[in-house]
Amino acid sequence: MKKTPIKSVVKALLELQNEGKSTTLLGIGPMSHNLLQASFELARDYDFPLMFIASRNQVDMDELGGGYVNSWNQQTFVKAIRNMAKDVNFDGLYYVCRDHGGPWQRDNERNAHLPVKEAMELGKKSYLADIEAGFDLLMIDPTKDPFERGKVVPLKDVIERTVELIEYCEQERKSRNLPEIGYEVGTEETNGGLTSTEVYETFILRLQEELGKKGLPMPTFIVGQTGTLVRRTIQAGKFNFKNAFELAQMAKKYGVGLKEHNGDYLDDVTLLEHIPSNITATNVAPQYGTEETRAYLKLAEVEQQLAKQGLIKDVSRVKETLLIHAIKSERWRKWMEGDQVNLSVEEIMKDDTLSLEILDIAGHYTFNIDEVKAEIDKLYENLRKVNIDGQRFVVEHIKRPIRDYVECFNLKGSSTRILNKIQSSQLQGTEVN
């Protein structure tokens, strides 16, 4: 069956907004096989489209360093998604998306201060692998320029690089006779970025003009700042309904959907505000990884209790192993605030309270480490002997926060609504012709 392009889905969502049937799509950061399973089972049961959003640090070509999530490259990532859909009997809409693609988007490239030309070439190489693997949406993000550290990259440079990258991707896609793909542009940075409606529209107009000159498609999504900001394991920002609504209306005027990033840990009130604000899609990633870590820790606590009762003999070291590797990963630095960003691993290790907080923040970065996987397998086996299905508990635990978003974002039944709207529009178009 021919796949419905993501651009058609967004167009249908914009039309449904006019009918009082708004839906906000959920972009899910793919932290593990368990998260894929939880997502597909929910989407199957509640009939909504899935978007899996992978950054270059998470999923990339082996020659560029691969990804920390299951060592996935683009091909194995797409294969894992396809296999999981089949395993849970999901036959609905799902989209594989590149989150923050482009130059300097791998930590090592940014830290090395690669010159513009070299960084752009590596970004293009990664995009080509995305395209050949069958990605449906590519985020074009040239805003991590290490030479502009602490500053906002000039809008002129962002637009110039964005157009160059979209032109490259379209040429490569067409030369391979591959289906239409969507593009996402903009940045969620709060220290400037696309925060005001004036800057947002200026960006859209200039981009539209430059893309038009080259006969290139307008993006499917433009990221705008709605006030969200993730720090530690909390939503540290403050959702700005007025700004979100105005940005959404501005994007809609040009046939584009507003995309929100940093949508983790939002309370129900804020989640419900997304429907009247007409935000088309929201990205959530670290929250679901943190929920998986918490699930393992709960199972480890059960294991300890059962060991005290003599029901389990050889207890796993899941908590200790996760803790050590989470701290040593240093990936928690991205989510910390103030002076704690610069604390050494040794200083963290001496502080029990802070160590546990780091575990909560960064445990999911370690799931692919052999020692961690071995301890999780041991935990599962110990619990299996006392009739507890640990892996099933983990999957259901991850579902809990996803389900909150599904309910508040009006996602239930949305795949059917979207496909019906697309079919209706096509029929109307036929009648007009």
Side-chain angles (χ1 to χ4, degrees), residues 115-134:
V116 175
K117 185 176 180 181
E118 185 179 351
M120 287 287 281
E121 287 306 310
L122 290 178
K124 289 176 181 178
K125 184 177 283 192
S126 178
Y127 280 134
L128 180 55
D130 294 346
I131 292 165
E132 291 181 332

Side-chain angles (χ1 to χ4, degrees), residues 17 37 44 57 189 350 419:
Q17 288 175 0
Q37 183 177 346
R44 176 198 65 201
N57 284 323
E189 296 299 329
K350 293 174 184 176
L419 290 173

Side-chain angles (χ1 to χ4, degrees), residues 202-220:
T202 298
F203 179 75
I204 297 174
L205 284 169
R206 290 187 187 175
L207 189 63
Q208 184 182 52
E209 180 183 357
E210 295 304 316
L211 290 171
K213 287 178 184 177
K214 295 177 178 290
L216 297 170
M218 278 290 281
T220 301

Side-chain angles (χ1 to χ4, degrees), residues 140 142-143 154-160 162-163 166 184-187 193-194 196-211 218-219 221-223 250 254:
I140 309 295
T143 65
L155 202 60
K156 176 179 174 293
D157 292 344
V158 174
I159 291 171
E160 187 177 294
T162 296
V163 172
I166 290 178
E184 176 180 339
V185 300
T187 173
L194 300 179
S196 71
T197 51
E198 293 80 11
V199 175
Y200 198 72
E201 184 165 30
T202 298
F203 179 75
I204 297 174
L205 284 169
R206 290 187 187 175
L207 189 63
Q208 184 182 52
E209 180 183 357
E210 295 304 316
L211 290 171
M218 278 290 281
F221 294 110
I222 298 184
V223 180
M250 188 68 70
Y254 297 92

Side-chain angles (χ1 to χ4, degrees), residues 48-61:
F48 64 89
L50 283 169
M51 296 171 60
F52 293 110
I53 52 162
S55 71
R56 288 188 58 205
N57 284 323
Q58 293 171 329
V59 174
D60 209 351
M61 303 171 67

